[in-house]
Amino acid sequence: NKKYMYSMWHALKFICQEIDNEKAREIGRRIATLEEDLEMEYAESLRDEILEMLRKPSTPAKIKQMLWKNYAYYRKNYKREIEIVNEPMALRNMTEVVKELSTMELAAFKEGFIFGASPVVFRGGRRRK
């Protein structure tokens, strides 16, 4: 249904915007106009389109920009600072960016804020065989 599709999209939209902002916003608009109940074939088609987008690579500039966008939202809404997170134009290597992403992801997780540095996040625990 629309509610489930929207919650799925909400979990993935920022990373999709990082990869292809124009396409991600177009998908978001389509989801917003969905009827409450939707055809399974359409839902599967939309899911496949999103998964295909997630297979595309990003760039360091886009990664840093989306990290900053998410951090700004987090800081404004949760009233918390994460000192390790730098502005997008600050010079640093990708190892430092990964540290920033990991720190941001952990802080967001503790607050219940949806932020994923990757489309799939493993939180530990036992894996099923």
Side-chain angles (χ1 to χ4, degrees):
N1 63 24
K2 181 178 180 175
K3 183 178 178 181
Y4 176 78
M5 185 62 72
Y6 184 78
S7 68
M8 183 258 330
W9 176 243
H10 183 70
L12 299 172
K13 73 178 178 180
F14 289 118
I15 199 159
C16 287
Q17 287 171 351
E18 173 190 314
I19 294 166
D20 188 339
N21 189 46
E22 189 174 309
K23 178 78 172 169
R25 293 195 181 277
E26 185 262 321
I27 288 173
R29 285 189 294 273
R30 278 193 279 151
I31 290 172
T33 61
L34 289 174
E35 298 294 323
E36 195 55 43
D37 291 318
L38 56 143
E39 298 290 325
M40 184 60 110
E41 292 170 359
Y42 183 76
E44 288 175 355
S45 171
L46 195 53
R47 181 197 62 204
D48 291 346
E49 192 174 347
I50 293 166
L51 290 173
E52 187 61 35
M53 186 185 314
L54 292 172
R55 288 184 179 94
K56 295 178 183 175
S58 189
T59 65
K62 286 182 179 181
I63 292 167
K64 290 188 280 188
Q65 187 63 45
M66 291 308 291
L67 168 62
W68 187 255
K69 178 181 176 179
N70 280 277
Y71 173 61
Y73 178 88
Y74 173 83
R75 189 176 57 194
K76 177 182 174 186
N77 290 284
Y78 292 89
K79 311 292 189 238
R80 305 247 194 286
E81 299 277 330
I82 303 174
E83 293 191 20
I84 191 174
V85 177
N86 292 294
E87 293 186 25
M89 300 308 289
L91 296 176
R92 70 248 201 221
N93 63 36
M94 285 308 292
T95 301
E96 292 303 312
V97 174
V98 170
K99 287 179 188 175
E100 291 174 44
L101 287 165
S102 298
T103 303
M104 175 69 212
E105 187 171 31
L106 182 59
F109 177 73
K110 288 177 181 177
E111 296 286 342
F113 171 61
I114 297 175
F115 171 76
S118 63
V120 178
V121 179
F122 295 99
R123 295 275 178 230
R126 295 183 346 187
R127 290 188 179 183
R128 295 179 189 191
K129 293 181 180 180

